[in-house]
Amino acid sequence: MIRIAPSILAADQMHLGRDVRRAMEAGCDYVHVDIMDGHFVPNMSFGTDLVHSLHTNFPELKLDVHLMLDNPEKYLHVFGQYAWGITVHEEIPGDVRSCLETLRSMGLNPGLSLRPGTPAERARPFFDLADRILVMTVEPGFGGQPFRWDMVDKIRELRRMGYTGSIEADGGLTLENLPALLEAGLDVAVMGTAFYRSLDMKGDIQKIHAMGEDGRS
Ligand code: DX5
Ligand code: ZN
């Protein structure tokens, strides 16, 4: 079973509510929300109020919050009130284990994100605590970048290492590169540009769900 999380970084920012609704009506499983601080990545995006507002306006929506912050530990409790799941990066200066433990104690779905340059091996110490590993398939910070094909092997490697949790890929995903990701062991596809540029969001989601049924499920 493959699940899809449209990334609202690629939505029309002047019509965010409309674009979230379009994703829901098309049958998305989650909505992916990128939180950037201008330090951990060279860009800024949404803040706590937006995530609060999404939760208030769409209470049934599962928010997959991707924290690209130097100090996520300061914000876990506030985002945690509204999110379905939160991922923190392995490369932060702070204590990753403690962040994942906090997320678990809050009943959230704890996730660990890896930049493209971070080897799969660095995730191993967190296998017991991370329900999800988010493999960045572009350098984090911006939507619309080309997919890094070398990251398919990182997903395969995580499976080879015995990781049985969910694996999510984020950055440059399209209907064309998804079959390779699925074959490597992907469960959750984050899709920004390709989803919001699609002329048939519902049809695309149906195709993606069907790919999961045909492949590993
Ligand atoms: C990049 C973000 C992604 C981005 C993906 O740092 O983490 O979630 O929105 O968008 P596309 O699919 O356009 O690469
Ligand atoms: Zn993201």
Side-chain angles (χ1 to χ4, degrees), residues 103-126:
L103 292 172
R104 184 167 299 286
S105 72
M106 291 170 72
L108 288 161
N109 184 307
L112 179 75
S113 314
L114 304 176
R115 282 180 181 273
T118 303
E121 193 55 46
R122 292 243 300 263
R124 195 193 289 275
F126 308 106

Side-chain angles (χ1 to χ4, degrees), residues 47-161:
T48 52
D49 286 348
L50 189 271
V51 180
H52 178 203
S53 183
L54 285 171
H55 178 67
T56 308
N57 284 280
F58 305 104
E60 70 281 25
L61 185 60
K62 291 181 175 168
L63 297 172
D64 168 27
V65 175
H66 176 192
L67 296 182
M68 286 164 273
L69 310 175
D70 268 343
N71 52 354
E73 61 280 358
K74 276 177 74 174
Y75 300 96
L76 297 179
H77 282 95
V78 58
F79 285 117
Q81 296 172 68
Y82 319 123
W84 159 81
I86 294 183
T87 58
V88 295
H89 269 268
E90 191 277 341
E91 307 86 1
I92 56 166
D95 186 343
V96 176
R97 177 158 282 272
S98 146
C99 288
L100 294 172
E101 279 167 354
T102 302
L103 292 172
R104 184 167 299 286
S105 72
M106 291 170 72
L108 288 161
N109 184 307
L112 179 75
S113 314
L114 304 176
R115 282 180 181 273
T118 303
E121 193 55 46
R122 292 243 300 263
R124 195 193 289 275
F126 308 106
F127 278 4
D128 58 330
L129 274 173
D131 286 358
R132 271 176 311 138
I133 295 182
L134 183 152
V135 174
M136 287 303 306
T137 41
V138 299
E139 209 45 72
F142 300 92
Q145 302 179 74
F147 179 73
R148 293 261 311 247
W149 281 95
D150 51 331
M151 293 298 110
V152 175
D153 273 344
K154 189 189 281 188
I155 293 173
R156 198 172 284 117
E157 178 65 12
L158 287 165
R159 291 299 184 209
R160 213 180 288 132
M161 288 161 64

Side-chain angles (χ1 to χ4, degrees), residues 7 32 34 66 68 134 136 170 190:
S7 172
H32 184 85
D34 289 306
H66 176 192
M68 286 164 273
L134 183 152
M136 287 303 306
D170 182 10
V190 175

